[in-house]
Amino acid sequence: MKDFESTLQNYYSSWNEGFKTKNDTHIRNFISESFVGYWAFSGIEKPEEYFFDYDIVSVLNQYKEDTKKEFNVIIKTERKNGENCLVFGTETSLIEGKPHQAKVMYVWGLENEEWKLQREYIEMEQ
């Protein structure tokens, strides 16, 4: 699959750099303009919905510079003759030395021959 694994790795590296710099430019380069995200945890009735223009800088500013994110792929499914990829896995964020985990499903698609994040579903493990 065309450089998908390195794209996913670079996406997480851009978040880790963003925590240090509080700049969202590199993160946003990975996100499709048609992006839709959903964030939830067991205590809420309906997931929060957010779009391409959500305030990533505010998210970055909530965390200290040493915050780190990583992603462990559980299953990856290629679709649409390799132009689309569905990925399910566990995201671990190390926040102030404590791990916080979420199950995440991503939908990535090729747009102008670049992988772009089109949808994400995040369910916090609380």
Side-chain angles (χ1 to χ4, degrees), residues 36-51 103 120-124:
V36 179
Y38 302 90
W39 181 88
F41 59 93
S42 63
I44 67 172
E45 193 171 307
K46 182 180 175 189
E48 283 185 34
E49 188 176 67
Y50 49 99
F51 303 93
K103 292 298 186 224
E120 71 181 8
Y121 305 83
I122 300 172
E123 184 74 31
M124 295 300 299

Side-chain angles (χ1 to χ4, degrees), residues 4 8 67 86 88 91 113:
F4 179 75
L8 190 57
T67 300
L86 180 104
F88 180 75
E91 179 181 274
E113 299 193 28

Side-chain angles (χ1 to χ4, degrees), residues 15 17 35 42 44 66 69 88 99:
W15 272 98
E17 185 62 28
F35 170 82
S42 63
I44 67 172
D66 63 348
K69 288 174 100 168
F88 180 75

Side-chain angles (χ1 to χ4, degrees), residues 24-32 52 114-116:
D24 69 343
T25 303
H26 295 297
I27 299 166
R28 199 161 298 281
N29 287 335
F30 289 94
I31 301 174
S32 172
F52 173 79
E114 289 186 24
W115 286 107
K116 296 290 184 174

Side-chain angles (χ1 to χ4, degrees), residues 1 8 12 42 44 54 67-68 79 85 89 92 102 119 123:
M1 184 168 275
L8 190 57
Y12 272 85
S42 63
I44 67 172
Y54 82 100
T67 300
K68 297 236 187 289
R79 307 185 307 179
C85 188
T92 303
R119 286 185 298 286
E123 184 74 31

Side-chain angles (χ1 to χ4, degrees), residues 66-125:
D66 63 348
T67 300
K68 297 236 187 289
K69 288 174 100 168
E70 62 181 40
F71 187 72
N72 181 38
V73 174
I74 295 173
I75 192 166
K76 179 177 67 169
T77 303
E78 184 178 319
R79 307 185 307 179
K80 294 178 73 176
N81 297 319
E83 295 180 16
N84 187 275
C85 188
L86 180 104
V87 183
F88 180 75
T90 302
E91 179 181 274
T92 303
S93 297
L94 196 60
I95 303 169
E96 296 184 19
K98 296 179 184 173
H100 298 267
Q101 292 190 320
K103 292 298 186 224
V104 179
M105 184 176 77
Y106 290 126
V107 177
W108 289 81
L110 282 173
E111 296 180 7
N112 298 318
E113 299 193 28
E114 289 186 24
W115 286 107
K116 296 290 184 174
L117 181 59
Q118 297 173 335
R119 286 185 298 286
E120 71 181 8
Y121 305 83
I122 300 172
E123 184 74 31
M124 295 300 299
E125 293 182 16

